[in-house]
Amino acid sequence: MTKPLLDPAALAPMGATPEDVRARLDRELDLFHAHLRTRADDWTRTQPGRDWSPAQEAEHVLKINDSIARGVGLLLSERELRPMPQMPGELTPDGRRVAPPHTQPGAAGLAWDDLDATWTQSRAGLSTVTGALRATPGRTLWHPFFGELDALDWTRMVATHLYQHRKALERSAQPQSLQEPNTP
């Protein structure tokens, strides 16, 4: 078995029970979307200290959310799990995680006019699948940075992902002189 790059215990602050995790996910979805709604003026401008614009961050987060919703749905189902390659994720020289190719945004990112409808649809998919959220010991899927995760940990991971991208976007909106160090 491949060793994960990060300890899945780092996901624990996102909640102990399925109810806690769902509540935290809902909170992070609300906060991320609310922040995106403040970024109309710089929607397509690459942010200071970031590789992407808010439009690209939004597209990336939506791709992750939709992918994880499908994975959590599979883990919560009775469908057979097929073995997956255990490819570890890539880190930049400064230790930042590199988004897998299928989750990277396009050059333009998400169109501003599509934000609300796309967000609503994606959120509905996550909400539907996490409505029956529970731990699925013995039923896991590989995550490129955290290793084997069950449905509960995948949901913790998506909440963490939303939190981290929101915090990065919030920092990028601050004047350079007021920015905090880049710590999660």
Side-chain angles (χ1 to χ4, degrees), residues 10-21:
L11 305 172
M14 292 300 144
T17 68
E19 295 77 21
D20 294 341
V21 174

Side-chain angles (χ1 to χ4, degrees), residues 1-6 84-89 142-148:
M1 177 183 276
T2 305
K3 184 178 188 306
L5 296 172
L6 302 171
M84 294 176 53
Q86 294 186 350
M87 301 293 296
W142 176 258
H143 184 279
F145 296 100
F146 292 105
E148 295 289 343

Side-chain angles (χ1 to χ4, degrees), residues 63-94:
K63 285 181 175 188
I64 292 288
N65 291 0
D66 294 346
S67 176
I68 290 173
R70 287 188 301 275
V72 169
L74 175 62
L75 289 170
L76 292 171
S77 77
E78 298 297 320
R79 291 177 293 187
E80 180 182 353
L81 298 177
R82 288 183 256 143
M84 294 176 53
Q86 294 186 350
M87 301 293 296
E90 180 183 343
L91 298 174
T92 63
D94 65 350

Side-chain angles (χ1 to χ4, degrees), residues 22-119:
R22 274 195 310 274
R24 183 61 185 261
L25 175 62
D26 285 342
R27 179 176 186 266
E28 294 304 331
L29 286 162
D30 288 343
L31 291 170
F32 192 86
H33 185 235
H35 180 76
L36 289 177
R37 299 288 302 136
T38 70
R39 301 305 289 265
D41 292 342
D42 65 350
W43 187 244
T44 59
R45 193 174 28 234
T46 301
Q47 297 300 291
R50 304 290 298 154
D51 296 329
W52 296 334
S53 68
Q56 290 170 304
E57 298 264 357
E59 182 180 334
H60 164 73
V61 164
L62 285 163
K63 285 181 175 188
I64 292 288
N65 291 0
D66 294 346
S67 176
I68 290 173
R70 287 188 301 275
V72 169
L74 175 62
L75 289 170
L76 292 171
S77 77
E78 298 297 320
R79 291 177 293 187
E80 180 182 353
L81 298 177
R82 288 183 256 143
M84 294 176 53
Q86 294 186 350
M87 301 293 296
E90 180 183 343
L91 298 174
T92 63
D94 65 350
R96 291 184 303 143
R97 290 171 283 192
V98 175
H102 70 282
T103 69
Q104 292 187 9
L110 181 69
W112 176 257
D113 290 343
D114 295 337
L115 172 61
D116 289 333
T118 306
W119 189 263

